[in-house]
Amino acid sequence: MTALPTTGRSWHLVARPHGWPKAEDFALREVPVTEPAEGRILVRNLHFSVDPYMRGRMNDVKSYTPPYKLDQPMDGGAVGEVIASHDERFAVGDHVLHGLGWREYADVPAQYATKVDASLAPLSAYLGVLGMPGLTAYAGLFEVASFKEGDAVFVSGAAGAVGSLVGQMAKLKGASRVIGSAGSAEKVKHLTEKYGFDAAFNYKDGPVAPQLREAAPDGIDVYFDNVGGEHLEAAMSSFNVHGRATICGMIAQYNNTEATPGPSNMALIIGKRLRLQGVLVGDHVALQPQFVEEVSGWIRSGELKYDETVVEGIENGYDAFVGLLRGENTGKMIVSLNR
Ligand code: NAP
């Protein structure tokens, strides 16, 4: 048996960001690695996820996930290889998905690890299209928005991990029209040319409402909101009667330091009988088997495309996270530790 490493690097939050995160708010530290105790496994992480929700966990506020503790390793989704096991369910060499990312080596309680199969999909896919963002898209569209064939669907953040899947899933299930918004000309082109959206626009080119009206002249029935603010207000204006919004994220305000004004047209909810409902992916784990079966089928048949933006090296974890908030990713942002 090869000797276990004695130390490994992990990212710590050392100060709570005010507004945009700064490099000084984080530290990459060398920490001891020890033999796992009974019921635990030691995992060499191969990929970890950086996600927008992590920005919320850097604030010291009560939320649906606890804040990161200062001077402690941050956590989040990761996949890796078991290098030591003190649990009968796992053997050295198994690949697992777990929640202790942002570090090279993870000492994971076995009950919080799930085996994943590298022969079915690249391991990084379990952090994206076949993982949490994929399930968010699937549950948010089909369960929360009650999508039905013939609906016209608008999705913001459409070139990202969740948004790119929402638009394609809607098309696959018979949407009459799918419209996406994203933050660059290149991403907009990608939406129509690669993902098959019917129309797309760059929200940085001008106000959202007129661009959406032009892209959806017959209105929209479903809005999948990853962004909030001006996008939500524009969607409310474009909604047809009985429109439904899945409120998934509000990334436009995650780094705001002052209260954000809400949409000014909330009264439309009444006349149009709109439904706006939040989604939390954790509420929809019962959908997991159906989601994996259907989505892996679409991937195999080539009907569903996905992208990953891979940043190499744990030392670039902070840059990957801030890059995600700035829109440097297309599809899922991943940090790979394939040494
Ligand atoms: P993502 O879309 O892959 O990455 C974030 C994207 O947000 C960036 O690429 C950037 O793309 C866009 N963005 C950044 N600032 C923006 C702004 N001011 N206005 C408009 N777009 C902006 O991230 P994701 O993982 O798929 O997450 C998407 C959203 O879903 C996030 O809001 C996240 O918090 C939420 N989410 C919620 C759940 C849940 O359970 N509720 C689960 C997963 C994700 P551009 O270049 O297009 O600006």
Side-chain angles (χ1 to χ4, degrees):
M1 188 178 138
T2 24
L4 296 181
T6 53
T7 62
R9 290 171 295 172
S10 62
W11 278 100
H12 296 226
L13 185 70
V14 296
R16 301 210 176 272
H18 181 69
W20 278 84
K22 299 185 293 303
E24 311 85 86
D25 300 329
F26 304 84
L28 182 61
R29 291 181 175 157
E30 191 99 20
V31 294
V33 173
T34 50
E35 178 83 23
E38 199 50 44
R40 301 179 76 97
I41 54 178
L42 184 65
V43 179
R44 181 169 74 89
N45 280 338
L46 299 169
H47 309 280
F48 70 81
S49 181
V50 287
D51 297 279
Y53 79 88
M54 293 169 173
R55 177 63 191 85
R57 295 190 65 194
M58 293 167 189
N59 300 331
D60 192 12
V61 291
K62 193 161 183 257
S63 181
Y64 59 92
T65 40
Y68 287 131
K69 293 196 175 107
L70 288 183
D71 291 311
Q72 296 289 322
M74 294 188 290
D75 54 59
V79 280
E81 182 184 354
V82 175
I83 57 169
S85 173
H86 282 177
D87 187 278
E88 60 187 18
R89 288 166 287 186
F90 296 94
V92 169
D94 284 348
H95 290 120
V96 290
L97 170 70
H98 62 89
L100 296 180
W102 287 99
R103 67 197 76 188
E104 288 179 298
Y105 297 99
D107 183 352
V108 184
Q111 73 266 30
Y112 297 130
T114 309
K115 272 189 212 175
V116 289
D117 189 341
S119 68
L120 292 182
L123 287 172
S124 54
Y126 293 98
L127 299 174
V129 63
L130 287 176
M132 183 278 279
L135 181 60
T136 305
Y138 192 86
L141 183 64
F142 299 129
E143 279 202 347
V144 179
S146 314
F147 169 85
K148 57 185 190 323
E149 199 180 328
D151 280 343
V153 176
F154 171 46
V155 54
S156 54
V162 174
S164 60
L165 302 176
V166 169
Q168 294 183 81
M169 287 174 182
K171 284 295 281 188
L172 283 162
K173 292 284 190 175
S176 58
R177 189 167 177 80
V178 171
I179 304 110
S181 72
S184 73
E186 198 186 329
K187 287 186 181 183
V188 165
K189 199 160 160 241
H190 206 69
L191 292 181
T192 52
E193 292 186 357
K194 181 166 181 184
Y195 300 144
F197 284 50
D198 298 290
F201 61 87
N202 179 351
Y203 67 88
K204 293 177 182 166
D205 281 349
V208 177
Q211 295 202 80
L212 177 58
R213 263 197 304 277
E214 194 184 331
D218 297 326
I220 59 169
D221 304 296
V222 168
Y223 172 46
F224 196 105
D225 191 12
N226 288 314
V227 166
E230 192 195 348
H231 272 88
L232 179 55
E233 183 167 299
M236 304 256 292
S237 292
S238 275
F239 260 136
N240 297 324
V241 168
H242 296 301
R244 288 144 277 138
T246 292
I247 310 297
C248 176
M250 297 211 169
I251 197 165
Q253 66 188 53
Y254 291 174
N255 290 308
N256 284 0
T257 49
E258 293 187 2
T260 317
S264 62
N265 54 357
M266 296 293 274
L268 289 173
I269 293 175
I270 308 159
K272 294 188 184 185
R273 281 83 96 203
L274 303 178
R275 176 155 64 77
L276 278 65
Q277 189 178 327
V279 63
L280 270 188
V281 61
D283 293 346
H284 298 272
V285 284
L287 266 186
Q288 180 79 12
Q290 179 190 326
F291 152 73
V292 170
E293 190 183 332
E294 194 156 27
V295 171
S296 54
W298 286 331
I299 295 171
R300 270 196 306 278
S301 66
E303 292 168 284
L304 186 91
K305 316 269 194 311
Y306 69 94
D307 285 286
E308 292 174 350
T309 300
V310 178
V311 171
E312 292 288 343
I314 189 167
E315 62 281 7
N316 296 315
Y318 160 75
D319 290 334
F321 176 66
V322 174
L324 170 82
L325 300 178
R326 287 198 195 109
E328 287 168 14
N329 60 308
T330 297
K332 180 76 192 97
M333 186 67 114
I334 302 272
V335 179
S336 276
L337 314 179
N338 281 318
R339 290 143 289 191

